[in-house]
Amino acid sequence: MTALDDHSVRPTVTTGPIAGSEKVHHEIHDPATGCVLRIPRRRVGLANGTHIDLYDTSGPYTDSTAAIDPRAGLPRTREAWAARREPVGGAATQLAWAKAGLITPEMRFVADREGMDPEAVRAEVALGRAVIPANRRHPESEPMAIGKRFLVKVNANIGNSAVSSSIEEEVEKMVWATRWGADTVMDLSTGQRIHETREWILRNSPVPVGTVPLYQALEKVKGDPARLSWEVYRDTVVEQAEQGVDYMTVHAGVLLRYVPLTARRVTGIVSRGGSIMAAWCLAHHRENFLYTHFEELCEILRGYDVTFSLGDGLRPGSIADANDEAQFAELRTLGELTHLARAHDVQVMVEGPGHVPLHKIAENVRLEEELCGEAPFYTLGPLATDIAPGYDHITSAIGAAQIAWHGTAMLCYVTPKEHLGLPDRDDVKTGVITYKLAAHAADLAKGHPRAQEWDDALSQARFEFRWRDQFHLALDPETAQAYHDETLPAEPAKTAHFCSMCGPKFCSMRISQDVRAFAERRGLSTTAAIEHGMREKSAEFADGGNRVYLPLADD
Amino acid sequence: MTALDDHSVRPTVTTGPIAGSEKVHHEIHDPATGCVLRIPRRRVGLANGTHIDLYDTSGPYTDSTAAIDPRAGLPRTREAWAARREPVGGAATQLAWAKAGLITPEMRFVADREGMDPEAVRAEVALGRAVIPANRRHPESEPMAIGKRFLVKVNANIGNSAVSSSIEEEVEKMVWATRWGADTVMDLSTGQRIHETREWILRNSPVPVGTVPLYQALEKVKGDPARLSWEVYRDTVVEQAEQGVDYMTVHAGVLLRYVPLTARRVTGIVSRGGSIMAAWCLAHHRENFLYTHFEELCEILRGYDVTFSLGDGLRPGSIADANDEAQFAELRTLGELTHLARAHDVQVMVEGPGHVPLHKIAENVRLEEELCGEAPFYTLGPLATDIAPGYDHITSAIGAAQIAWHGTAMLCYVTPKEHLGLPDRDDVKTGVITYKLAAHAADLAKGHPRAQEWDDALSQARFEFRWRDQFHLALDPETAQAYHDETLPAEPAKTAHFCSMCGPKFCSMRISQDVRAFAERRGLSTTAAIEHGMREKSAEFADGGNRVYLPLADD
C-alpha cells in the first residue's frame, strides 16, 4: 500500500482559475523525443480586447478543464520523456546532457516558459550557472530553471512540526503556495508521518520539491544529534530520492574548525541544519560526515538527478553577524563542494543569508559567484534589519529585491510569522506575494526582456480607468478588488473615471488624459508638434467651460 | 470662537505608553535662551536589567504622567524660546540663524535627539542640507531635522476627502501615526471643513505638519482649476501659515512648456497638484503662477519660517515613465527655485518620485543633489514595480529603503490601500511601521552611529530567549506578541528556550548557546583559544549524555 491509498487522509485543495485569468497551454514539439510539450500560462484577458500571458506556476489546479484528485496525483507527464532518452557517460542528469550538447525536453520546456532560446538554456545549465531541478522520480513536475539569466524564482517553505499540522493541511499549503506563484516548495516537516506527508506532496506537486534530509534523519535517531551517522543519513537521502525529491539542502560546509568562529556572534548558529551538524562535530570531535562522504552523496544524487542545494549552516542570524568570518569560511567550502559536485555531473545551487544590511548585500553575491563558479545563489531574504518582528516578510523583501537584482537566482520566502510562530494559510499567501513582487522588482532592474510588459499593462489599465483589468493584472486580484470595494463598493465605481483616494475633483489622471486626447485629435506625433498644438489648447479649454473634471454624475 | 471651542467636535485619541516602553525626558539647558529643553525618548526596559532609549515621535500621548485634552491642545513649549530671540537681517528662520552662526534651541533639541553635536546640526542647516520645519505659529511641535546626515524620517499623509472622514478621525489618525513613528504628518484634506480640521490637527500635533495649499485653494474656486489665481493661492498660504503649518508643498516647477512632455507617458501626470497646475497653464496658456510669483511666496514663508517642500508635479506614476524628460526637466526648475528660496533665508526640501525601478533609483538622488544643492530629498516611495496593488506599501518600501540609503532624507509613506482606496486606521499603522523599518534599514546601510544598537539589542534578546524583550524592542510590540500567542499562547512559552517554528528539538540557538557557554566557562577569549578548547568539548558532550537539546519538560 502506498501513502495515497490511506483512506483516512482526505485532502481537499483549492482549485479554479485566479480571478480574471484562464489557464492556457502553448504546445511545442520536442524533436529529441517526439513528445509534445504543453507549457502552461496564466492568460489575463483585458477589456480592450487584448490579453497578456504570465508565467504560471500553479499546475492543473487553476485549469478549469482539469480533473483534480489528490488521491490519484497529477499526471506523470515526464515519464514519457524519460523513456526516450539515454544517459551520457553513465549520467542521466540535465547537467550531463547539457555538457554533451543535448537539449532535453526539460530545457525546451523552460526555454518556452521564459521566452528564451533552447540553446541558451542548455548553455547556462552546462556552465552550471542554471539548474533544472527535476528528479526522474518526480515526473509530475513542470520543468523550471533557476539561474541568474532567468526570471528570479521564489521558494515557499511548508511542512509540519512537532507542534501542529496534518497531511491534508500540507498538501493544501503546497497547492495554495503554487497558486500564488511559488516556483518550488520545500517540505521541512519535522513532526509526525514525515514520509507519508512528503509522498502526498510530491505526487500532487507541479513544482520541484526540496527537502533537508537531515531533519528526517534526526527524527530517526530520536532527536539526538550525536547519534547521527553517515549511514542513517545516506539511507534517508536514498529514501527521499526514490520518492522524487528534486533538490536537497546539504549542510556539508559546516566544518569542525568553523564552529568556534560562531562563539562570539550575537546570534550564534541560526540554521537548524547547521546547529545539528555543529552539535555532531563537537560531540565526536570529528569532521562533518556530510563533508567527508560528499562524493558518495554525489553518486546517489546523480542516480536520480537530484540537485544539491548546499546549505549555509553558518549564515548570519542578525545584522551584527552579517558577512563575518564564519559565514565566508563556510562559503569557501561550499565553493569547493560545488566544483566537486559538477565533476560528478550533479547540478548544484548554493544557499545564502539570512540577515544582512543593505550595504553588505552585494558582497555576498560577488563572493558566491567567485567562489562557487556562478552556481545559482538561493538566499533566505535577507532581512535588512532585525527590529521589526511581525513584519519580517517586508524587512526581508527589501533585502531580497536587492540581492536578486545583484544576481541571486531564487529567493526563499519569509512570512510575517518569521521568528514568532508557524505561518497559517494567509501568512503563506502574504509571503509568496511579497516575494513575487520582490523577485519581479529584481527582474525589472536586471532588464529581463519581458518583465516590464506586465507593469506597463497594469499601469495602462490604471491610466485608462479599466479598474477590473487593474485587479486582474495584479499579483493578487482578490486583495486588490477587496480594497477597492471597501471604499467604493458599488458596481459603477468599477468603471468610474476616478479613484477613491482623490475623488472625482482631484483626479490627476483625468487631466493627463485630456492632454493626450488633445494631442491625438490633432494628429500630433512628436513632442515638438504637441508643444505647438498646445498653444491652441488654451482657447479650447475656455470654449469647453474650463471643465477639466467632469462631475461625478456624468460617469 | 476658535475651532477648538466647537463643542460638537469631540476627539478621543489613543493614549498610554507603547507596550514595554515608558516615556522619559532628557533635560538640557539652552544657553542662548536660558530655557530648559526636555527631549523625549521611548525607553525600553529589559529583563537583564539594562534599557535602551529610542527616538520618540509620539509626543505627550504616550506619557502616562501627561494630562491629555484635545480641546486644550498640547503645551505651547516653543513660545518661550521664541520670545527670547531676535531675527537676523530681518529673518527669523532657522536658516538665517544658522547662517549667522547661531545655535537655536531647536537645533540643540535636535542634536540631543539624534546624538549629534549642536554645531554639526547648525552647519547642516546653514548649508541647506538639512531643514528644521518649525513654524513659529506651531509652538506645540517638538523640533526635528530632515537631512541626509540625520536619521531617515517618515511622513504619514492624513486628511479627509470628499468621500469620507470626520475631524475626530483625522485628529486620532495624527496621534495614531505619530504613536507608531511618523516624524511629520501631512494634512491633505480636500473635503469639508478644511480649515477647522487643520486647526484641530495643528493644536494637537507634536510633529511638524505639512500641507498642499493648492488643495484648499481649489476648493475655494469650487474645484475649477482655471479659476485659480495667485491671489486666491496667496491668501490660502497666509491663512495656513498663520495657523502654524510647518511645511508646504508648492508645485512651482510644473512649467507650461513641460506639460507636453507628459503627453506620451503611460500614466501622464499623477500628482494631484501637478495636474491642477497643468490644467491652469493650459487653460490660460500662461506660465505657472507659482513660478512667476515664487519670490513673493518666499517672503510670506520667511515671515513664519515655513519650509518649502518643492513638489514634483511631474513625477512618474509608473515604471515606464521613470526618469523621463518631463521628470528631470521639472527637477532642474526645482533646483533653480531651491537656490532662490535659500537666498531669501527660507528652508527648502525637494520632493521626489513615485514609481522607479531599482536600477534607476540612484540617478534620482545624484541629480537632485547636484541640481538642488543637496537640499533634503523627500520621496514618495518609490514603488519598485507596478504589479502589486494591495501590496504597494511593500513595493514602495523596497524602493524607499534603496533611495534612503542613497541619501533621501524623508520618506512619504504608502499604505496597502494606495491606488485602491482610502487608508483606515490599520492601514495607517501598517504604512508607518513599514516605512520606519525601511528608514531604519537605510540608517544601518548609511552607518548611522547609533542605528545598529537597536538591532543588536533585539537580536541579543532573541538569542537569549528573552521573548518579552524581543516583543518590547519591536517596532510594533503588539503584533509581535500577538503572532507569538497564535502558536504558543501559554505564559510559559514566553520564557521557553525555543520557538514555535522549530520546536524544542530543532532549536538552532540552543546549540549556539552551548558552544558559547563552553567557551566562557573555560575563560577563552580569543578564537584560537576557543578552537583549542573545543578539542575537549567532545569528551564533555559524551559525559553529559550527548543531550544538546533538553526535553521540553525541563524548560
Side-chain angles (χ1 to χ4, degrees):
Chain A
M1 166 172 134
T2 79
L4 273 59
D5 294 326
D6 178 353
H7 288 274
S8 71
V9 179
R10 298 186 183 84
T12 56
V13 296
T14 303
T15 59
I18 290 173
S21 295
E22 63 170 331
K23 166 89 76 184
V24 298
H25 290 90
H26 186 222
E27 297 196 348
I28 59 175
H29 177 254
D30 178 55
T33 60
C35 295
V36 172
L37 311 181
R38 300 179 74 237
I39 294 91
R41 296 180 186 171
R42 171 183 160 199
R43 175 163 294 177
V44 185
L46 303 177
N48 62 6
T50 65
H51 67 258
I52 183 166
D53 285 349
L54 303 176
Y55 192 101
D56 186 350
T57 61
S58 60
Y61 302 99
T62 52
D63 186 346
S64 52
T65 68
I68 302 296
D69 176 9
R71 198 167 303 282
L74 295 180
R76 303 172 67 85
T77 307
R78 290 200 303 119
E79 267 177 355
W81 311 352
R84 302 185 193 186
R85 63 187 173 195
E86 298 298 328
V88 177
T93 68
Q94 299 292 325
L95 179 55
W97 285 311
K99 283 182 185 171
L102 300 174
I103 295 173
T104 63
E106 284 82 0
M107 295 172 202
R108 203 168 289 280
F109 191 103
V110 160
D112 187 82
R113 219 170 173 182
E114 302 253 0
M116 284 174 73
D117 183 65
E119 171 53 27
V121 175
R122 186 206 61 76
E124 290 297 303
V125 173
L127 285 167
R129 204 151 58 186
V131 296
I132 299 178
N135 185 331
R136 63 179 170 81
R137 305 272 298 162
H138 182 205
E140 299 90 347
S141 76
E142 297 171 346
M144 52 78 73
I146 302 165
K148 67 176 176 178
R149 301 276 170 98
F150 299 81
L151 290 168
V152 174
K153 303 304 187 296
V154 171
N155 170 70
N157 289 337
I158 60 171
N160 67 22
S161 81
V163 181
S164 73
S165 184
S166 67
I167 289 177
E168 287 87 346
E169 283 175 78
E170 295 309 321
V171 173
E172 166 60 3
K173 260 191 213 166
M174 177 277 293
V175 171
W176 185 244
T178 55
R179 179 180 184 83
W180 299 113
D183 293 283
T184 74
V185 295
M186 287 193 81
D187 173 15
L188 303 184
S189 293
T190 57
Q192 297 299 303
R193 306 181 71 186
I194 292 181
H195 182 98
E196 293 77 4
T197 302
R198 191 168 53 234
E199 184 70 18
W200 279 96
I201 291 171
L202 277 162
R203 298 291 72 80
N204 287 287
S205 177
V207 302
V209 175
T211 60
V212 184
L214 193 58
Y215 297 170
Q216 189 183 7
L218 188 67
E219 287 294 329
K220 290 180 179 175
V221 296
K222 310 284 185 244
D224 180 353
R227 290 178 55 198
L228 282 167
S229 66
W230 161 245
E231 290 71 24
V232 170
Y233 186 87
R234 180 196 60 206
D235 293 349
T236 307
V237 166
V238 171
E239 172 191 336
Q240 298 195 2
E242 278 287 325
Q243 278 188 295
V245 168
D246 299 287
Y247 65 91
M248 296 183 187
T249 296
V250 178
H251 297 92
V254 180
L255 302 192
L256 177 61
R257 66 180 179 276
Y258 300 157
V259 178
L261 300 178
T262 66
R264 241 175 305 281
R265 280 179 156 186
V266 168
T267 47
I269 300 174
V270 297
S271 150
R272 289 191 239 175
S275 69
I276 295 164
M277 289 317 301
W280 188 90
C281 291
L282 292 181
H284 298 279
H285 204 262
R286 280 166 54 198
E287 194 49 279
N288 184 335
F289 61 76
L290 298 171
Y291 180 80
T292 56
H293 291 271
F294 192 74
E295 291 197 85
E296 290 167 75
L297 207 48
C298 289
E299 286 307 302
I300 299 168
L301 267 53
R302 185 173 69 169
Y304 301 85
D305 202 3
V306 173
T307 300
F308 271 115
S309 187
L310 297 177
D312 55 336
L314 303 182
R315 68 170 175 267
S318 56
I319 291 296
D321 296 341
N323 294 20
D324 74 352
E325 198 187 342
Q327 184 194 339
F328 288 153
E330 182 186 33
L331 185 59
R332 281 190 293 277
T333 298
L334 300 186
E336 173 197 334
L337 298 174
T338 297
H339 296 293
L340 207 52
R342 283 181 183 168
H344 285 264
D345 286 338
V346 182
Q347 304 187 90
V348 193
M349 50 187 175
V350 173
E351 298 186 10
H355 294 238
V356 186
L358 284 171
H359 64 300
K360 293 188 177 177
I361 284 178
E363 175 73 354
N364 277 273
V365 182
R366 194 192 63 71
L367 266 182
E368 190 274 345
E369 292 190 346
E370 178 189 316
L371 296 171
C372 306
E374 297 184 272
F377 203 20
Y378 169 27
T379 62
L380 176 64
L383 283 70
T385 169
D386 303 338
I387 65 165
Y391 298 79
D392 280 334
H393 58 308
I394 306 179
T395 61
S396 67
I398 289 171
Q402 180 80 5
I403 206 164
W405 170 24
H406 284 288
T408 283
M410 184 156 76
L411 302 168
C412 182
Y413 86 164
V414 170
T415 78
K417 293 282 169 60
E418 183 74 13
H419 297 118
L420 297 169
L422 289 167
D424 61 20
R425 183 183 162 88
D426 287 343
D427 296 318
V428 167
K429 180 176 174 182
T430 300
V432 171
I433 298 278
T434 299
Y435 269 68
K436 290 300 275 190
L437 70 85
H440 186 76
D443 290 334
L444 286 175
K446 287 163 69 179
H448 192 281
R450 280 170 21 186
Q452 199 182 312
E453 284 175 19
W454 191 354
D455 299 76
D456 292 353
L458 194 143
S459 290
Q460 195 73 47
R462 182 173 284 158
F463 185 69
E464 294 171 2
F465 299 103
R466 287 185 274 115
W467 285 100
R468 290 197 185 285
D469 286 354
Q470 191 184 155
F471 305 149
H472 296 162
L473 285 163
L475 263 178
D476 177 1
E478 292 169 12
T479 298
Q481 171 142 11
Y483 284 179
H484 192 253
D485 286 352
E486 273 183 40
T487 316
L488 289 175
E491 188 58 25
K494 300 296 179 276
T495 53
H497 279 200
F498 61 92
C499 70
S500 58
M501 279 292 274
C502 304
K505 277 197 300 193
F506 281 89
C507 185
S508 61
M509 300 233 180
R510 292 290 289 267
I511 176 65
S512 295
Q513 292 204 348
D514 227 65
V515 169
R516 171 170 311 183
F518 174 79
E520 285 176 357
R521 278 200 304 278
R522 300 294 161 100
L524 304 177
S525 60
T526 68
T527 300
I530 292 173
E531 158 66 354
H532 176 77
M534 286 290 169
R535 300 189 192 285
E536 301 165 67
K537 181 73 180 168
S538 167
E540 184 184 284
F541 246 76
D543 293 348
N546 289 336
R547 292 168 68 90
V548 176
Y549 304 107
L550 302 177
L552 178 53
D554 289 8
D555 291 300
Chain B
M1 166 172 133
T2 78
L4 271 60
D5 293 327
D6 178 354
H7 288 275
S8 71
V9 179
R10 298 187 183 84
T12 55
V13 296
T14 302
T15 59
I18 291 173
S21 296
E22 64 171 330
K23 166 90 74 185
V24 297
H25 291 90
H26 185 223
E27 299 196 348
I28 59 174
H29 177 254
D30 178 54
T33 58
C35 295
V36 172
L37 312 181
R38 299 179 74 236
I39 294 92
R41 294 179 187 170
R42 171 183 159 199
R43 175 163 295 176
V44 186
L46 304 177
N48 63 6
T50 65
H51 67 258
I52 183 167
D53 285 348
L54 303 175
Y55 192 101
D56 185 351
T57 61
S58 60
Y61 302 100
T62 52
D63 186 345
S64 53
T65 68
I68 302 296
D69 176 9
R71 197 168 303 284
L74 296 180
R76 303 170 68 85
T77 308
R78 291 201 301 117
E79 267 178 354
W81 311 352
R84 304 186 192 185
R85 61 189 173 193
E86 298 299 326
V88 177
T93 68
Q94 299 292 326
L95 179 54
W97 285 311
K99 284 182 185 172
L102 300 175
I103 295 173
T104 63
E106 284 82 0
M107 294 172 202
R108 203 168 291 278
F109 192 104
V110 160
D112 187 81
R113 221 172 172 181
E114 302 252 0
M116 283 174 73
D117 183 64
E119 171 53 28
V121 175
R122 187 207 60 76
E124 290 297 302
V125 174
L127 284 167
R129 205 151 57 185
V131 296
I132 298 177
N135 185 331
R136 63 179 171 82
R137 306 271 297 161
H138 183 206
E140 299 90 348
S141 76
E142 296 171 347
M144 53 78 72
I146 303 166
K148 68 177 176 175
R149 301 277 169 97
F150 298 81
L151 290 168
V152 174
K153 302 304 186 297
V154 171
N155 170 68
N157 289 337
I158 60 171
N160 67 21
S161 81
V163 180
S164 73
S165 184
S166 67
I167 289 175
E168 286 87 347
E169 282 175 79
E170 296 308 321
V171 173
E172 166 60 3
K173 259 191 214 166
M174 177 276 293
V175 171
W176 185 243
T178 55
R179 178 179 184 84
W180 298 113
D183 293 283
T184 75
V185 296
M186 288 193 80
D187 173 16
L188 303 183
S189 292
T190 58
Q192 299 297 304
R193 307 183 70 187
I194 292 181
H195 183 97
E196 293 78 3
T197 302
R198 192 169 51 235
E199 185 70 19
W200 279 95
I201 291 170
L202 277 162
R203 299 289 74 80
N204 287 287
S205 176
V207 302
V209 175
T211 60
V212 185
L214 193 59
Y215 297 171
Q216 189 183 7
L218 188 67
E219 286 294 330
K220 290 180 179 175
V221 296
K222 311 281 185 244
D224 180 353
R227 289 178 54 200
L228 282 167
S229 66
W230 161 245
E231 289 72 22
V232 170
Y233 185 86
R234 179 196 59 204
D235 294 348
T236 307
V237 166
V238 171
E239 172 191 336
Q240 298 194 3
E242 278 287 325
Q243 279 188 296
V245 168
D246 299 285
Y247 65 92
M248 296 185 186
T249 296
V250 177
H251 296 92
V254 180
L255 302 191
L256 177 61
R257 65 180 180 277
Y258 300 157
V259 178
L261 300 178
T262 67
R264 240 174 305 283
R265 279 180 157 187
V266 167
T267 47
I269 299 174
V270 298
S271 150
R272 288 192 238 175
S275 69
I276 294 164
M277 289 317 301
W280 187 89
C281 291
L282 292 180
H284 298 280
H285 205 263
R286 279 166 53 200
E287 194 49 278
N288 184 335
F289 61 76
L290 298 171
Y291 181 80
T292 55
H293 291 270
F294 191 75
E295 291 197 88
E296 289 166 75
L297 207 47
C298 289
E299 286 306 302
I300 298 169
L301 267 54
R302 185 173 67 169
Y304 301 86
D305 202 3
V306 173
T307 299
F308 271 115
S309 186
L310 296 177
D312 56 334
L314 304 182
R315 67 170 176 266
S318 56
I319 291 297
D321 297 340
N323 295 18
D324 74 351
E325 197 186 342
Q327 183 194 338
F328 288 152
E330 182 187 33
L331 186 59
R332 280 190 292 277
T333 298
L334 299 187
E336 175 197 334
L337 298 174
T338 298
H339 295 294
L340 207 51
R342 285 180 183 169
H344 285 264
D345 286 338
V346 181
Q347 302 188 90
V348 194
M349 50 186 176
V350 173
E351 298 186 10
H355 294 237
V356 185
L358 284 171
H359 64 300
K360 293 187 177 177
I361 283 178
E363 175 72 355
N364 278 273
V365 182
R366 194 191 64 73
L367 266 182
E368 190 273 344
E369 293 190 346
E370 178 188 317
L371 297 170
C372 306
E374 297 185 270
F377 203 21
Y378 169 27
T379 63
L380 177 63
L383 282 71
T385 169
D386 303 338
I387 66 167
Y391 299 79
D392 280 335
H393 59 307
I394 306 178
T395 62
S396 67
I398 290 171
Q402 181 79 7
I403 205 164
W405 170 25
H406 284 288
T408 283
M410 184 157 77
L411 302 167
C412 182
Y413 87 165
V414 170
T415 78
K417 293 284 169 58
E418 184 74 15
H419 298 118
L420 297 170
L422 290 168
D424 62 19
R425 182 182 163 89
D426 287 343
D427 296 318
V428 167
K429 179 177 173 182
T430 300
V432 171
I433 298 280
T434 300
Y435 269 67
K436 289 299 276 191
L437 70 86
H440 186 76
D443 290 335
L444 285 175
K446 287 164 68 178
H448 191 282
R450 281 168 23 184
Q452 200 182 314
E453 284 174 19
W454 190 355
D455 299 75
D456 292 353
L458 194 143
S459 290
Q460 195 73 47
R462 182 173 285 156
F463 185 68
E464 293 172 3
F465 299 104
R466 288 185 272 116
W467 285 100
R468 291 198 184 284
D469 285 354
Q470 191 184 156
F471 305 148
H472 296 161
L473 285 163
L475 263 178
D476 178 0
E478 292 169 11
T479 298
Q481 171 143 10
Y483 284 179
H484 192 254
D485 286 351
E486 273 182 40
T487 315
L488 288 175
E491 188 58 25
K494 301 295 181 277
T495 52
H497 280 201
F498 61 92
C499 69
S500 58
M501 279 292 275
C502 303
K505 275 197 302 193
F506 282 88
C507 184
S508 60
M509 300 231 180
R510 294 290 290 266
I511 176 66
S512 294
Q513 293 205 347
D514 228 64
V515 169
R516 171 170 311 184
F518 174 79
E520 286 175 357
R521 277 200 304 278
R522 300 295 162 99
L524 303 177
S525 60
T526 68
T527 301
I530 292 174
E531 158 66 357
H532 177 76
M534 287 290 170
R535 299 188 194 285
E536 301 165 65
K537 180 75 179 165
S538 168
E540 183 183 286
F541 248 76
D543 292 349
N546 289 335
R547 291 168 69 90
V548 176
Y549 305 106
L550 302 178
L552 179 52
D554 289 7
D555 291 302

